[in-house]
Amino acid sequence: PRGFLQAVQGSNAAVSCEGSGRLELARRITHPSRPLVSRVLANRVWYHLFGRGIVPTVDNFGVLGERPTHSELLDYLASCFVQQGWSVKKLIRQLVLTSTYQMSSTASADLPLTKDGPRGEDPQNLLFSRMPVRRLEGESIRDTILAVSSRLDRAMFGPSVEVHLTPFMEGRGRPGQSGPLDGDGRRSIYLKIRRNFLHPMLLAFDTPVPFSTIGRRSVSNVPAQALALMNSPFVVTQARLWAEAVVADNRRSPADRVTNLYETAFTRPPTPVELADALTFLDEQRSRYACNPDDPRPWADLCHVLMNVKEFIFIH
């Protein structure tokens, strides 16, 4: 830190500090004469909330990066961020309370004029005339599956959970003991990271390999993701737990149970067509299993289907 601090201050500047120099370096970097840090942080918060940064290249504000779409807005947010004591929570609150954040992701027929074309020609949504459709990150998808099945352990802090090892995860440095399939229900942030033995499901959903820093993750839509949701023992197990919890409440009618599943998975009730299709699916599965209406197996199949709906992993 001392050498870097001297480089920041200038090659002829003396470094006067009693400790390691980290505090002086932080003060130098965040000095009002160097506004880059506040802009980078404000842009990253915007990126995580809206799916695209005001500067799309969140890792590169230089000449090789993309230019901001709303430079004045970025300046304003950076200024507010500093004035509010560099509080990320206050910045997040400021952004989520805006009308821009609360807009629908459905494109409106009455779009504003773009800078380069007539009304309605903004295919990349550079003007934020609607909320972009965003896919959940791999960790959030896993946590959501645990949440709907009521298996999620919301306790904070504590030791990390050893990674679950499949028979295909071989190689040098393999842990002597595998962790539990569901990670003890802990949030993904508490899963132990072993660079040679990464969680297969998280990798399928573009969780970065921890070899270097990643400011903006890749967002793909590939067959491996659908296969993971269809065949993963973790997903199948959580679907069964979800179904058992629904069947345990025997006061509800089948239609009420289906409504509860949709509200839990998608935060909305099913449409009449969806409700009818779900009830038909349950009848067909009961005939296939030759079971009674309270058998959890048909419900587990329906829960598994809902986990595979795109709406389950995409924010609209």
Side-chain angles (χ1 to χ4, degrees), residues 184-224:
D184 274 339
R186 300 301 305 276
R187 291 171 53 203
S188 300
I189 193 174
Y190 295 110
L191 296 180
K192 184 174 290 187
I193 300 297
R194 292 184 177 270
R195 297 199 301 181
N196 293 335
F197 301 93
L198 299 173
H199 197 292
M201 179 177 171
L202 298 185
L203 287 177
F205 286 97
D206 306 305
T207 298
V209 177
F211 292 157
S212 61
T213 58
I214 301 293
R216 182 178 63 176
R217 293 188 180 189
S218 300
V219 180
S220 63
N221 186 17
V222 295

Side-chain angles (χ1 to χ4, degrees), residues 118-129:
R119 184 180 301 276
E121 292 186 4
D122 186 19
Q124 296 181 341
N125 195 29
L126 297 179
L127 299 182
F128 293 101
S129 57

Side-chain angles (χ1 to χ4, degrees), residues 71-92:
S71 56
E72 297 86 354
L73 174 60
L74 182 59
D75 290 344
Y76 171 75
L77 293 176
S79 299
C80 292
F81 181 47
V82 175
Q83 293 170 6
Q84 294 173 350
W86 297 78
S87 172
V88 175
K89 288 185 177 180
K90 290 182 179 179
L91 179 59
I92 292 175

Side-chain angles (χ1 to χ4, degrees), residues 116-186:
D116 302 318
R119 184 180 301 276
E121 292 186 4
D122 186 19
Q124 296 181 341
N125 195 29
L126 297 179
L127 299 182
F128 293 101
S129 57
R130 63 187 183 278
M131 175 60 75
V133 176
R134 293 157 293 154
R135 200 204 70 200
L136 292 174
E137 297 176 338
E139 296 91 335
S140 298
I141 293 173
R142 177 185 172 276
D143 292 354
T144 301
I145 292 174
L146 289 172
V148 298
S149 70
S150 301
R151 181 68 179 93
L152 183 65
D153 182 358
R154 301 180 184 273
M156 298 180 64
F157 313 116
S160 57
V161 182
E162 190 64 65
V163 63
H164 174 72
L165 299 174
T166 69
F168 303 99
M169 298 170 68
E170 296 286 349
R172 182 179 179 182
R174 191 178 195 269
Q177 186 175 2
S178 173
L181 175 63
D182 64 355
D184 274 339
R186 300 301 305 276

